[in-house]
Amino acid sequence: MSKKLDPRIPKDSGSKSLTNYAALCSPWNHLVGYQEAMHWLSRYNASFSAACMQAYRILMPDYRERAQAMCEAAYQKLYYTMKQYGKPQMAQHNVHPFCRGSFVGALVGDSGDDALLMCGRVQDFGTYRAEKELDVCDWDIVGSELCRATTQSLEASSRAWSEELRAGTQLEFHMVEAKGCGDCHCRIVAESREKYPMPSHEQWECFGPIATEDQIKYTKEEDMVSESMVFREETNYTFANGTNMEDDSNSVAGLMRRSNAAAGYIFPTISYLLRQGKLDGKTVEHVFHCVCEAAGKTAFGERTSIEGIRKWMGTPEAVKDGRVMGGYLEMFFQAMGLKYEVEAFNKEEVQYIVDRNNLTVYNPGMADAYVAYWYGMTKTLVNAQWSLWEIKDDTPADKLRIRIAKKIDKFC
């Protein structure tokens, strides 16, 4: 490896003459502003997650079994997390000591929605009932199994938070509408079964029916919003909830980097099933590799998509080698807040080192899925002569070193 870096204009060039601007910066000094960058990252993570969900569907063909496993894993993960770290979040959300019951857990869902750019409105928030309506959901392409599992994250968070308070009413969460299923909105309704009795159901059957359907408050399409509160002038670019918690646009990057459908739901479910012996590790690795590689290839399979991403990065016309994929990865690394080292960046090769655990949020197997995804992208964003692969020799276990270069492989 030459470890040669092409000359770049320093990123702080002109910083004493112009006000710094929060943005991603491509290797060719093309800027993408924070708001656009977060929207791009949101859909990028959703697209990667959609590929991972397809792999999971192959591994576990039965819908009921697949959805139930996701619900169980999501509940266990969020309940444990909130029992360990919930108190600071309760304080941040202004959960007052006189509150009782699990309705307060709906607060974490509300703030999380806004930070994940899933904008909408709280229609009801009380001891016996809560309702949240979403107008936008970038996760709508992932799968309805995910929609079901998100309700269990809310229910687990609500239970954990309520256990820090005096005993009170418990709510049962249902996603009665989901954009991923073709509905106009996503809608979560949480109800007290003491006040609104309903027959019991299995955990995965958390789409309803509900007892308070007549209380649903439906927003017409012409009145829907397209941006979260932190990006809207009418809300003073500030998220505010019913307990006077406030947050700014920095909350978007913070949560989006830690929580996407793959990292928060799909890979934890895979680990959950591997521990139970219901999946085989080698088969999991093979299926994820095949599906993610294909998904990466289709991302830039059309020539127009290549033109679009090159323009978005400001890629010079003369650059038609591995640096194009390298620039694309640098935009992703920056959006994810990952520290990365550029070991080589020239027309013969590109090489990076990135923190493995920060990339995968400590999910085993996720790094391999990313590498397969990026390999596929390289084949179409550049051309089939170019490959991307991981270099494991002389690389610390907590680092991921990837190389982009021309490579002939008769078994690819």
Side-chain angles (χ1 to χ4, degrees):
M1 185 183 73
S2 66
K3 291 195 174 184
K4 175 188 173 185
L5 300 183
D6 284 351
R8 297 191 190 186
I9 298 174
K11 282 185 168 53
D12 62 351
S13 177
S15 61
K16 295 180 181 179
S17 302
L18 296 172
T19 303
N20 289 333
Y21 187 65
L24 310 183
C25 183
S26 80
W28 306 282
N29 275 4
H30 191 83
L31 299 180
V32 175
Y34 177 72
Q35 181 180 2
E36 181 183 344
M38 291 299 101
H39 278 287
W40 173 72
L41 179 63
S42 178
R43 197 59 167 180
Y44 183 103
N45 283 337
S47 299
F48 174 70
S49 299
C52 294
M53 179 64 84
Q54 295 306 112
Y56 176 44
R57 286 171 168 174
I58 294 171
L59 292 162
M60 185 161 284
D62 183 76
Y63 184 96
R64 177 176 179 173
E65 187 178 6
R66 189 168 64 241
Q68 178 64 23
M70 286 194 74
C71 288
E72 290 175 5
Y75 190 97
Q76 290 183 14
K77 178 184 175 183
L78 264 295
Y79 180 74
Y80 172 80
T81 301
M82 288 302 179
K83 289 298 288 185
Q84 295 293 113
Y85 310 107
K87 283 187 178 180
Q89 285 206 36
M90 291 176 71
Q92 180 188 5
H93 285 77
N94 294 332
V95 177
H96 303 294
F98 57 75
C99 290
R100 63 175 67 191
S102 71
F103 81 99
V104 294
L107 293 169
V108 72
D110 180 30
S111 62
D113 288 339
D114 203 76
L116 289 169
L117 304 181
M118 299 176 182
C119 52
R121 63 206 57 80
V122 175
Q123 299 283 36
D124 196 0
F125 179 63
T127 304
Y128 301 103
R129 186 180 189 277
E131 179 185 339
K132 177 70 183 287
E133 182 183 60
L134 298 181
D135 299 339
V136 174
C137 175
D138 279 342
W139 292 6
D140 58 4
I141 59 172
V142 179
S144 60
E145 304 94 325
L146 172 65
C147 304
R148 295 175 188 272
T150 57
T151 67
Q152 298 310 294
S153 290
L154 294 172
E155 200 156 316
S157 299
S158 297
R159 177 190 162 197
W161 283 19
S162 70
E163 290 173 354
E164 298 295 333
L165 305 168
R166 290 180 293 171
T169 302
Q170 299 297 302
L171 300 185
E172 184 179 278
F173 287 75
H174 285 262
M175 181 169 284
V176 297
E177 296 175 51
K179 294 182 74 70
C181 298
D183 291 306
C184 185
H185 299 93
C186 289
R187 190 183 310 278
I188 292 281
V189 175
E191 301 171 316
S192 161
R193 288 290 161 252
E194 296 175 28
K195 186 167 183 176
Y196 304 109
M198 287 289 287
S200 60
H201 60 83
E202 293 188 42
Q203 189 177 17
W204 73 277
E205 296 178 301
C206 43
F207 269 13
I210 58 171
T212 60
E213 188 173 351
D214 61 333
Q215 297 184 38
I216 287 176
K217 303 165 188 68
Y218 189 86
T219 301
K220 296 180 181 179
E221 197 163 358
E222 58 266 29
D223 296 325
M224 290 163 58
V225 295
S226 58
E227 287 285 3
S228 294
M229 295 171 74
V230 296
F231 290 132
R232 300 210 310 265
E233 180 184 9
E234 71 214 49
T235 56
N236 195 31
Y237 307 105
T238 303
F239 169 78
N241 71 0
T243 55
N244 296 319
M245 170 197 174
E246 293 188 351
D247 218 337
D248 61 20
S249 61
N250 289 296
S251 62
V252 173
L255 185 62
M256 202 174 297
R257 290 164 175 172
R258 300 191 309 273
S259 175
N260 63 66
Y265 292 90
I266 299 170
F267 278 95
T269 303
I270 296 296
S271 295
Y272 174 69
L273 292 169
L274 285 169
R275 289 195 300 271
Q276 292 182 325
K278 293 183 177 180
L279 293 178
D280 172 71
K282 288 187 177 180
T283 304
V284 168
E285 182 180 347
H286 174 71
V287 171
F288 268 87
H289 178 93
C290 292
V291 174
C292 290
E293 179 183 318
K297 288 176 179 177
T298 58
F300 298 109
E302 296 292 336
R303 301 278 189 258
T304 51
S305 59
I306 298 173
E307 294 171 9
I309 204 67
R310 287 178 64 96
K311 182 178 179 181
W312 186 71
M313 295 191 298
T315 309
E317 177 63 26
V319 177
K320 297 180 179 179
D321 48 57
R323 290 172 292 179
V324 183
M325 185 62 196
Y328 182 75
L329 285 178
E330 288 194 40
M331 302 294 265
F332 174 67
F333 294 156
Q334 291 172 42
M336 285 288 284
L338 302 173
K339 293 182 179 179
Y340 62 95
E341 299 175 37
V342 186
E343 289 196 317
F345 191 89
N346 57 72
K347 64 182 181 180
E348 278 80 35
E349 63 175 342
V350 175
Q351 191 160 303
Y352 298 103
I353 298 180
V354 66
D355 186 283
R356 181 183 295 269
N357 294 323
N358 286 335
L359 171 67
T360 65
V361 201
Y362 293 88
N363 280 296
M366 196 168 173
D368 293 338
Y370 270 126
V371 171
Y373 193 54
W374 297 335
Y375 168 89
M377 286 181 169
T378 304
K379 289 293 181 181
T380 50
L381 180 56
V382 189
N383 65 59
Q385 288 183 286
W386 292 79
S387 290
L388 179 149
W389 65 95
E390 178 183 0
I391 298 175
K392 297 184 178 181
D393 294 340
D394 300 321
T395 304
D398 62 340
K399 300 294 182 182
L400 175 67
R401 176 183 270 118
I402 54 175
R403 187 184 185 199
I404 306 168
K406 287 185 176 180
K407 186 178 184 181
I408 298 173
D409 183 356
K410 302 296 185 181
F411 297 93
C412 66

